[in-house]
Amino acid sequence: VLDSEGSLRYRYDEVGPTAMAMAAEEAPRQQVTLGPNAVTRTIPVPEELHAKIMREPKAAEAEPAREYVLHIEDMQISRPRSAIVHVFGNLPQGEKTAGLDSANYLGYIAIVPKNTKETAGKPAHRHIALQVSPRIRDLLKEKKDLAVTLVPVTADGKPSPSKLGVGKLYLSED
């Protein structure tokens, strides 16, 4: 047995992203039809993580000292089809989308089909990690939760008819 502290003089951190740095929505994956209808899922942000984010400088003042990542686990497309999904955070009440220059815009996800003989006809499962550091502080300054809105579009910006399943969503400090 290797004694990393004694013989190597190295101590491992206890856990990668700590439990307090992850807020997981444990709802089961639901197959939802995206396209003209945006889908919003709300995730809690633990107090310690929220406090760290609030200590970051405002986006206009300086780059954040830490990186914050929105994770979307088990994203699944029903057919081997490409999709672009715009991601927004904490949209104002009643809004389902906003402009790409909006302060609520966190970025986009581009899903490209990977077809091999072995995967033909099977849905692909993906884990998406979207870096949200520059805007997360401003989005959480008045809220403790993050409402993530996913808006799928085609390459030309029209609503996408793709069926997309989304699993667990959480925010972490990396």
Side-chain angles (χ1 to χ4, degrees):
V1 176
L2 179 64
D3 177 11
S4 62
E5 282 189 61
S7 60
L8 298 178
R9 295 188 180 17
Y10 184 83
R11 188 173 63 99
Y12 288 95
D13 289 338
E14 291 185 21
V15 184
T18 61
M20 76 85 197
M22 296 174 64
E25 179 187 38
E26 296 296 342
R29 183 179 49 80
Q30 297 175 346
Q31 192 70 20
V32 291
T33 301
L34 299 179
N37 303 317
V39 172
T40 300
R41 308 249 316 256
T42 301
I43 57 174
V45 178
E47 273 189 50
E48 280 190 62
L49 181 59
H50 190 272
K52 279 185 178 184
I53 292 170
M54 291 299 103
R55 287 192 296 266
E56 294 287 346
K58 292 181 181 176
E61 295 173 359
E63 285 293 313
R66 296 175 183 88
E67 288 191 16
Y68 300 98
V69 177
L70 173 65
H71 297 268
I72 305 171
E73 288 188 356
D74 197 24
M75 185 173 267
Q76 178 182 11
I77 295 182
S78 60
R79 288 173 270 160
R81 171 182 267 196
S82 62
I84 297 170
V85 181
H86 292 291
V87 182
F88 296 90
N90 289 346
L91 285 171
Q93 187 70 27
E95 289 188 33
K96 293 290 183 192
T97 189
L100 304 185
D101 58 348
S102 162
N104 300 85
Y105 184 64
L106 294 173
Y108 70 93
I109 301 162
I111 301 169
V112 181
K114 257 188 338 189
N115 294 328
T116 64
K117 195 163 118 178
E118 294 80 24
T119 62
K122 296 178 184 172
H125 298 266
R126 292 176 173 82
H127 176 97
I128 308 296
L130 183 64
Q131 208 269 8
V132 296
S133 298
R135 296 193 174 172
I136 195 67
R137 182 191 185 280
D138 293 337
L139 293 177
L140 292 176
K141 90 179 134 187
E142 294 178 14
K143 296 186 174 198
K144 298 274 184 184
D145 295 337
L146 180 64
V148 177
T149 301
L150 305 172
V151 182
V153 296
T154 59
D156 58 0
K158 294 181 180 168
S160 174
S162 295
K163 286 190 177 182
L164 188 74
V166 178
K168 185 166 56 173
L169 301 173
Y170 59 94
L171 187 64
S172 73
E173 174 190 354
D174 284 354

